[in-house]
Amino acid sequence: MTPGDNGASTPEDDDPFGYLYADGQARGAQPPSGGGYGYPNSVSRVRAVGERSYGAQQAPPQATYGQGVPQQGAYGQPNAHYQAPETLPGGAPAGRRSAPPAPGRRGPNTKGLLIGAIAVVAAVVIGIGIAMINGNTDDDKSGNEAGPAPTQSRTGSPSPSGSASSAPGELPKSDAVALQLAGGAAKTTDVPGAKAAGGAYVGGFNQTGSSITWTLNGVPEAGKYSLFVGYSVPGKDATATLTVNGTASNTPAGLKNWAKAAEGDYAKGWTKTYSWIQLNKGANTIKLSCEQGNQCDALIDQMWLVKGWVNSSG
């Protein structure tokens, strides 16, 4: 072995141009055909220009049914499925944007919610106001029971059945002829049918200025009462003025032909009516009179009280 000749597997055998020399040819060197250096035992180190040094890229294994997504390549190897953002159409996204609302859909209706809230508040305020008004009304009714005048006087045909009020005998009741008469009013007994003692009644009440005054001393308590009047009309309606404790009623006392008597027939015209009044405890004055503007053609029989504002005499 000559100096420098270390055998076929020594580094000098890696001369890529060995096949060009006689000694290289003698050792079996041949032109490279598969990427080697020319010697049979040489290491394949030469690669084509531009070819990757770490070997050809292999396509990743395809996932089969029931298997998961193929794993990423080893570190330093490219991922066949990866694409850089700048390679996508339009380049890399500038930033995350919120998705626009779907077609046909609108955002929250804050204006509608505000209007609904205002409506609820208004309803609550109105309800409180009504409750306060009703409460004040009830207080006024209970606190004004000793009021002087029948500010809500009402007349009508009494109901034939009983009521929740006291019986007439428990409160003052009087025949009309026993009361204070003035003007043309006078006691008479010509027309039959009166319920007062001896069939007596007050006639001549059809003259302006005539009056019947009832002075009461036994009203048990202040409050609401119903004044009932027994009378007869000759087949037509009449009216009179009702005054309680010096204050006239805001509506006339109606003396209607509830008995449906024929015209001029006093004997068939006996009936009764009522008016709602307020009285004080103890002494009170009630006056029934024929004033200017009244149609007073009536005969007055009796007068009595019932507790409360009712439409039945008991």
Side-chain angles (χ1 to χ4, degrees), residues 4-311:
D5 186 2
N6 296 325
S9 298
T10 57
E12 55 267 21
D13 292 337
D14 292 340
D15 186 354
F17 303 103
Y19 67 94
L20 298 177
Y21 306 102
D23 57 347
Q25 294 175 1
R27 290 185 180 92
Q30 295 180 2
S33 59
Y37 283 103
Y39 291 95
N41 59 348
S42 63
V43 179
S44 298
R45 296 178 181 177
V46 178
R47 298 290 186 269
V49 177
E51 190 174 354
R52 299 180 187 271
S53 62
Y54 45 79
Q57 179 179 347
Q58 295 182 357
Q62 298 294 329
T64 58
Y65 182 79
Q67 295 181 351
V69 179
Q71 296 182 352
Q72 299 291 333
Y75 178 79
Q77 294 183 356
N79 186 346
H81 294 278
Y82 173 77
Q83 284 183 295
E86 57 270 14
T87 64
L88 298 175
R96 186 175 181 179
R97 299 178 181 177
S98 59
R105 297 185 61 184
R106 301 175 62 184
N109 188 358
T110 55
K111 183 177 181 180
L113 295 176
L114 179 60
I115 294 175
I118 294 174
V120 171
V121 173
V124 172
V125 172
I126 292 173
I128 294 174
I130 293 175
M132 294 178 64
I133 292 174
N134 290 339
N136 293 338
T137 302
D138 294 339
D139 293 342
D140 292 342
K141 289 181 179 179
S142 60
N144 292 338
E145 288 182 343
T151 56
Q152 298 189 35
S153 176
R154 177 182 176 183
T155 61
S157 176
S159 300
S161 59
S163 68
S165 61
S166 303
E170 297 179 0
L171 289 170
K173 180 178 182 178
S174 178
D175 292 341
V177 294
L179 303 178
Q180 181 180 350
L181 307 180
K187 176 182 177 180
T188 185
T189 57
D190 296 338
V191 177
K195 295 183 178 180
Y201 57 89
V202 175
F205 189 71
N206 57 348
Q207 301 178 27
T208 300
S210 298
S211 64
I212 303 172
T213 302
W214 188 12
T215 301
L216 303 170
N217 295 313
V219 177
E221 59 181 345
K224 300 174 182 178
Y225 291 86
S226 297
L227 172 68
F228 284 82
V229 177
Y231 65 96
S232 174
V233 289
K236 60 181 179 180
D237 297 338
T239 60
T241 297
L242 178 62
T243 303
V244 177
N245 294 327
T247 304
S249 170
N250 56 354
T251 57
L255 305 174
K256 294 188 176 182
N257 183 24
W258 299 117
K260 306 298 182 183
E263 185 175 358
D265 191 353
Y266 284 99
K268 300 293 184 180
W270 291 105
T271 185
K272 59 185 176 182
T273 190
Y274 64 92
S275 297
W276 289 348
I277 61 175
Q278 292 194 122
L279 297 176
N280 301 322
K281 181 178 180 180
N284 292 268
T285 301
I286 300 174
K287 183 174 73 171
L288 190 67
S289 61
C290 181
E291 305 294 342
Q292 190 71 33
N294 294 145
Q295 303 294 326
C296 314
D297 193 0
L299 308 177
I300 308 301
D301 182 14
Q302 294 177 315
M303 299 175 70
W304 67 94
L305 292 176
V306 173
K307 184 70 171 68
W309 286 357
V310 300
N311 61 359

